[in-house]
């Protein structure tokens, strides 16, 4: 038996109404310093420079994913019956902790550290931090079981499907939450309906009832729109491009080029190599914001300029990338004395709102027909079929200072 809190704790949430906590271990994790650190990391990286209310953090998203999983394992009858108590607690904790390894400006930073946030997530859960202690203190072996769900190695594949597939609590929460905080309505879909149509097969595979396939179509479309309107917004990508260039500049400068105050913030990145969890803990968007402020006054004109651009939102402009445009921009930049390594960036984004068959089939969405047969979603939905067989969409852009005159 897992210890309960004295009374049920409820946390007010604009997306779910309330987050309900009645397990002591869940409450202890929420109150740990590592989990509280997520308050200092925005959910959407640079999107706040486009959507000014997108200041919400990984903290509330993590609570939201937990709440959806809590509802799945208690309110969805098939799931409640398919899992034992230990599995339910394990998957709720995995939901709560699935993003614990995110660093500041996640995606821009991952390119600089060459480490994925999933790696840090498993290290934080297993490598003797406060979190490891809380989990092991609750029940021996729990930390590994939670990390196994996150790294897709769980003995019961249903646990991973609940938090990481193409119809999972992580996506359920971030779409609704990001739509709410950006003020876009594209991300909305009918979560209540999806929870009602979830079923589990005898082989522990999550399926949805055919009668509810429209709710799933709506969710896939929500995802498609959110990617192109919010996640891949070119202005947010411009912000992340400058971040990447600033970190590249800091690494190129090494210790000697930067004044002590800024160095103390960015040292683990500048050194390269494995970052210790103690150092990682201190890396958040508050400390980095302070670091940028310090860099604005440093002697290096490039680092000072890039940091100032981030602080004051003087972002790079962008154009569709083509060899011709690129040449024109690069020539102009060179003529005006810009160092291309720090003032010219290119990125290409692609996104499929749904992939019918991944490397394993675990991520696919399956539909249970009226005759009881299970089929993959694109065979049950014309909209999804058209979406995955139609022409792909990508967006290839170059970013450069808007001051240059083409
Ligand atoms: Ni997440």
């Amino acid at each position: 038996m897992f210890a309960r809190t004295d009374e049920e704790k409820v946390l007010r949430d604009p997306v779910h109404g309330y987050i309900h906590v009645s397990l002591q271990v869940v409450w202890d994790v929420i109150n740990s310093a590592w989990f509280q650190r997520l308050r200092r990391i925005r959910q959407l990286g640079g999107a706040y420079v486009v959507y000014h209310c997108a200041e919400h953090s990984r903290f509330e998203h993590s609570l939201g994913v937990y709440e959806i999983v809590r509802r799945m394992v208690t309110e969805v009858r098939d799931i409640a019956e398919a899992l034992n108590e230990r599995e339910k607690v394990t998957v709720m904790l995995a939901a709560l902790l699935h993003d614990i390894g995110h660093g500041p400006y996640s995606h821009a930073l991952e390119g600089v550290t060459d480490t994925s946030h999933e790696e840090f997530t498993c290290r934080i859960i297993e490598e003797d931090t406060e979190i490891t202690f809380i989990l092991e203190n609750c029940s021996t072996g729990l930390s590994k079981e939670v990390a196994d769900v996150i790294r897709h190695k769980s003995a019961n594949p249903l646990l991973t499907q609940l938090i990481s597939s193409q119809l999972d609590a992580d996506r359920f929460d971030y779409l609704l939450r990001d739509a709410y905080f950006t003020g876009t309505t594209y991300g909305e879909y009918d979560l209540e309906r999806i929870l009602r149509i979830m079923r589990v097969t005898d082989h522990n595979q999550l399926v949805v009832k055919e009668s509810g396939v429209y709710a799933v179509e709506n969710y896939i479309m929500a995802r498609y729109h959110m990617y192109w309107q919010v996640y891949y917004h070119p202005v947010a990508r411009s912000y992340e491009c400058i971040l990447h260039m600033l970190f590249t500049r800091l690494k190129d400068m090494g210790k000697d080029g930067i004044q002590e105050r800024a160095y103390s913030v960015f040292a683990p990145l500048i050194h390269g190599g494995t970052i210790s969890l103690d150092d990682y803990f201190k890396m958040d968007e508050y400390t980095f914001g302070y670091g940028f402020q310090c860099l604005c006054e440093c002697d290096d004109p490039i680092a000072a300029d890039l940091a100032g651009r981030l602080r004051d939102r003087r972002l790079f402009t962008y154009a569709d990338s083509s060899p011709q445009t690129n040449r024109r921009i690069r020539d102009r930049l060179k003529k005006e004395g810009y160092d291309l390594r720090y003032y010219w960036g290119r990125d290409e984004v692609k996104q499929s709102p749904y992939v019918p068959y991944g490397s394993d089939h675990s991520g696919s969405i399956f539909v249970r027909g009226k005759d009881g047969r299970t089929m993959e979603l694109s065979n049950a939905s014309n909209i999804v079929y058209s979406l995955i067989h139609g022409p792909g969409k990508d967006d290839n852009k170059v970013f450069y200072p808007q001051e240059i005159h083409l």
Side-chain angles (χ1 to χ4, degrees), residues 43 58 61-62 65 95 98-99 102 117 170-171 173-174:
Q43 172 70 12
R58 298 265 169 204
H61 162 63
S62 300
V65 179
H98 79 284
D99 275 346
H102 265 290
H117 69 267
D170 184 22
R171 291 175 195 200
D173 184 79
Y174 76 61

Side-chain angles (χ1 to χ4, degrees), residues 48-103:
Y48 78 99
V49 298
V50 185
Y51 296 96
H52 59 252
C53 286
E55 295 275 355
H56 57 301
S57 73
R58 298 265 169 204
F59 180 83
E60 51 254 46
H61 162 63
S62 300
L63 288 174
V65 179
Y66 153 79
E67 175 62 14
I68 294 175
V69 167
R70 187 198 65 76
R71 291 190 58 197
M72 285 172 167
V73 303
T74 50
E75 295 172 21
V76 179
R77 202 172 76 187
D78 272 20
I79 299 175
E81 287 173 1
L83 302 179
N84 62 37
E85 197 200 357
R86 188 176 181 90
E87 288 172 324
K88 288 176 190 174
V89 174
T90 303
V91 73
M92 282 191 271
L93 287 165
L96 194 62
L97 290 166
H98 79 284
D99 275 346
I100 197 83
H102 265 290

